[in-house]
Structure formats: C-alpha cells, structure tokens
Amino acid sequence: MINKPEPLIRPDTIFTVSDASALLKGVVETAFPCIKIRGELSQITRASSGHTYMTIKDSGAAISVIVWRGTPIPFAIADGLEVIITGRFTTYPARSNYQIIANEIEMAGVGAILKMLEERKQKLAAEGLFDAARKKPLPRLPQRIGVVTSPTGAAFQDIQNRLRERFPTHVILYPATVQGATAAAEVAAGIEYFNRENNVDLIIVARGGGALEDLLPFSEEIVVRAAAASKIPLISGVGHEPDWMLIDFAADFRAPTPTGAAEAAVPTKLALRQELDNIWYRFTSCFTTRITNATARLDSIAIKSPRQFIMEQSQRVDDTTRTLAIIINGKIQSVRNQIITVSSFPNILQNRMASLNQSVNHLGQMLGSLGYKNVLRRGFAIVRDADNQIITSANTSHVLATIEFADGVIKI
C-alpha cells in the first residue's frame, strides 16, 4: 500500500497556470526520478524526428511513453508486446499530460520472449537464412581462430583452455559485450570485422549461460544476418545445452557451450596421432603389398640367354623366308597358268571359225533345198497376172501375163 504524501502548499495559495504546471512538473520529476513499469505496449508511433511515442497499459490504466532518438532498444517493439520500461516520470504542460521518458525497455515474461523469437525465426527462415545448403564445412585444422565474446567472461577462458588441451592454435579476440542494449551491434560488428579483414580460418561466437532475456542479443536480426552472410565458417557457442538462440540456426555449426565450440573447432592431439597411425598403417600395408606383387612378377619372368634369343629370332626368319617362298611360288605358277591360257587363244579362235563356216554352209544348203527354184526344176511353173500376182486358182478373172519356169519367164 503506497502512503499518501503530505501536502506541499497551503490551500489558499493562488498560482498562475504556468506556475502550477511548473510546480507539478518539479514534484513529479523529483518524486519519480527512476521507475519501472510493466505493461502492454500499444499505439506505437515513430516520428520523422526519430523519436518513438507509445502507450503502456494494463486493464485499469494507460501511461504515455516517449523513447528519444538514439535510445537503444534490444528488440523490435510491437503492439501487444508485454514489456518492462525503466525511465522517469515527467509532465507535458502544453497538454497537461504526464508521461514516462524511457531509458530502457526489456521484455516481460518468458512467454512473450518465446513468442517474439518464434515469429522472428519464421520470418528469417522464410528468407532462406537457415537453409542447410548455405552452411559451410569447418576447416580440419584452422591456423587462426577468431573469437567474438567478452574479454572478461568465462567463455573466452574456457575456449582458450580447451584449445590448448586439444590442439594449440592462434586465437584472435574481438571484444564485444554479450549482454545489454549494445551487445547485438557489437557481436555483428565482430563477425563483419573478421570477414572484412579475412585474417582467420574460423569464427567462434560465444557466451556463457544466463537467463533467456540475457541471451536475447544473439537472436537479434543484425546478429543472425551477419552470421548467415559470413564467408568464413562460423561456430555458435552460446549458453548451455538447452539454450537455442537464432544465431544457432544461421551458424555453420551449433555447439552446446563455448567449450563445445572449441572442441568442434580443432581435434585432440590424441585423435590426430591415432589418425596419423592409421594413415601410416594403411600406407605401409599398401606399399608392402605392392612390393610383394612386384617381386612375384619379377620371379615369374624367365630370362633367356643371348644365344637362345638369337636362335629363336633366326628360326623366326627361316619361317618367314619359307612362308614368303611359298607365296611367291604360288604367284609365279598362277601367272604361268594365265600365260598358257592366253597362248592357246589362236587355236581356240581357229576352231571356232571352222565351226561357224560349217554352220553357214549347212544353213545355205537348207535354204537352197527349201527355195521355190528347186520346185520349178521338177516341172512346175508359176503363173502371174498383169499385177505380177501369183494366180493360185482356175476360177479367176485375172488376165494371164507371165509364166515362170525354172529356166526363164514367158510373157503372154
């Protein structure tokens, strides 16, 4: 129960409006130099000047809030978001209003934070910032590792100790606050610095455990976008095992803790020795097998004496000579047969001509025996009319003109 304050003025005192407003302003600012108010945001307006005006309310009342330009807000404010505002009360005499000048705004309650994170996660995932295809493989043995974290926090010491235990390597620290209103901008600047300078093989963004509100900078869009845009492979080692920040989804590898990030960055010396031993064993086994196979092939080769080699080559020459002789003799015999065949052509032609003459004579004899002259010699005659047509019948009106005998023609 808040006690009612004692009156500051006498009831009969008369003030001007300006004096009364100034007095009220002084009283309010003196009584409330710092106050924390929890409620729900509404009527958020961003002026062209950069200032933000809003209202914080609950079921029974509402108070105007002003956030001057340049005041850091570690998350995106929106209507309906439950927050805790830290600031000071003041009045605005021109409108007889009282209002809060906000110095800090933080989320109120885990539920509101989780809801905001889920909405932001869905938005960034829709842009493809969490796609597996964007993730880059971690280098096997990085020569230089860039670490973005607080230089005074336990996370940096844990990373250094674990790297020394496993595989000592050169570490470059980019100091950044990991909690508060400026943390997100500083972490994003660290990631961008290493990418701009290109002076490391791997980046680790780390922070120890804490409340969900304390880890919020690692879920800010500026940090998530910087991690997704990094050309250098990036490990996120924020919080403890159950803690999942949005940078974990954009990083190339998510480690449960800063120590886990160091373990993922480099292998142990023992693991390297074992790997080298395995490589050496495979190498020697393969080399021994190759030597054994080569020896077996050498043993299987029968080396011949020069004399035996010359004799074999001489035998091959003799075989080749015999083969060539057979081929050449065959060719010569074939040519001889062709010459003999050509030389018999005159006899063949002469016999052929005699046969043809005999055939012609025979055909002449046949033609003579079948001619009508022979018939006329046997006493027959051919009677023709004036048109020289043969008369073949007695019953005809043709006028006889000639009669042909074997020895001549008589005209009538």
Side-chain angles (χ1 to χ4, degrees), residues 79-241:
D79 288 350
L81 190 64
E82 187 178 2
V83 299
I84 297 175
I85 293 179
T86 302
R88 60 183 178 85
F89 262 121
T90 186
T91 64
Y92 183 49
R95 283 204 295 251
S96 298
N97 289 348
Y98 67 93
Q99 56 198 16
I100 297 176
I101 306 299
N103 299 323
E104 183 180 347
I105 301 178
E106 55 186 307
M107 288 194 178
V110 174
I113 296 176
L114 293 178
K115 178 182 177 182
M116 181 272 294
L117 290 179
E118 182 60 28
E119 292 175 351
R120 186 178 295 170
K121 177 183 175 183
Q122 293 179 2
K123 171 190 172 184
L124 298 176
E127 296 180 23
L129 300 186
F130 304 153
D131 291 349
R134 297 173 57 96
K135 299 187 181 300
K136 300 171 287 298
L138 303 182
R140 177 68 176 134
L141 292 172
Q143 300 298 309
R144 293 168 298 177
I145 298 177
V147 179
V148 181
T149 190
S150 171
T152 59
F156 184 54
Q157 297 302 321
D158 293 342
I159 290 173
Q160 285 187 306
N161 292 337
R162 187 50 57 94
L163 289 176
R164 280 193 294 266
E165 293 171 1
R166 294 172 67 85
F167 190 85
T169 186
H170 184 61
V171 177
I172 301 176
L173 172 67
Y174 185 93
T177 56
V178 292
Q179 183 176 335
T182 63
E186 293 183 24
V187 171
I191 298 173
E192 293 168 355
Y193 164 78
F194 286 124
N195 277 271
R196 182 174 61 254
E197 297 298 324
N198 195 25
N199 55 353
V200 294
D201 305 312
L202 180 67
I203 300 173
I204 296 178
V205 178
R207 184 203 191 280
L212 181 59
E213 294 86 348
D214 298 335
L215 301 177
L216 280 179
F218 296 91
S219 291
E220 289 299 317
E221 284 195 33
I222 187 175
V223 173
V224 176
R225 294 185 185 279
S230 176
K231 298 296 187 298
I232 301 173
L234 186 144
I235 297 177
S236 170
V238 178
H240 296 307
E241 176 65 40

Side-chain angles (χ1 to χ4, degrees), residues 295-369:
T295 302
R297 288 197 299 270
L298 286 173
D299 292 341
S300 65
I301 298 174
I303 301 177
K304 302 174 183 180
S305 66
R307 180 180 178 81
Q308 182 180 356
F309 180 77
I310 292 173
M311 295 300 293
E312 289 180 356
Q313 295 301 318
S314 177
Q315 183 179 358
R316 290 193 180 94
V317 172
D318 292 341
D319 291 340
T320 304
T321 302
R322 285 193 294 269
T323 302
L324 289 174
I326 293 172
I327 294 173
I328 292 173
N329 290 334
K331 292 291 185 180
I332 292 173
Q333 186 61 41
S334 175
V335 172
R336 286 176 178 172
N337 292 336
Q338 291 177 2
I339 293 173
I340 292 172
T341 301
V342 172
S343 63
S344 63
F345 276 177
N347 295 332
I348 295 174
L349 291 175
Q350 185 176 0
N351 294 334
R352 183 63 176 168
M353 291 297 295
S355 176
L356 291 175
N357 288 333
Q358 186 178 358
S359 297
V360 170
N361 293 332
H362 178 68
L363 291 174
Q365 292 174 0
M366 290 182 62
L367 180 61
S369 63

Side-chain angles (χ1 to χ4, degrees), residues 5-73:
E6 294 294 332
L8 298 177
I9 59 172
R10 295 186 309 183
D12 58 348
T13 304
I14 299 175
F15 295 93
T16 65
V17 174
S18 297
D19 290 342
S21 296
L23 178 63
L24 179 61
K25 181 179 180 68
V27 170
V28 170
E29 292 180 351
T30 302
F32 302 98
C34 183
I35 189 171
K36 289 181 177 290
I37 297 180
R38 178 171 180 163
E40 181 181 305
L41 296 180
S42 65
Q43 300 178 359
I44 299 174
T45 303
R46 293 175 177 81
S48 59
S49 61
H51 309 318
T52 302
Y53 301 89
M54 66 186 79
T55 300
I56 187 169
K57 64 180 182 177
D58 58 17
S59 58
I63 301 175
S64 297
V65 180
I66 300 176
V67 182
W68 298 129
R69 180 182 60 189
T71 302
I73 302 177

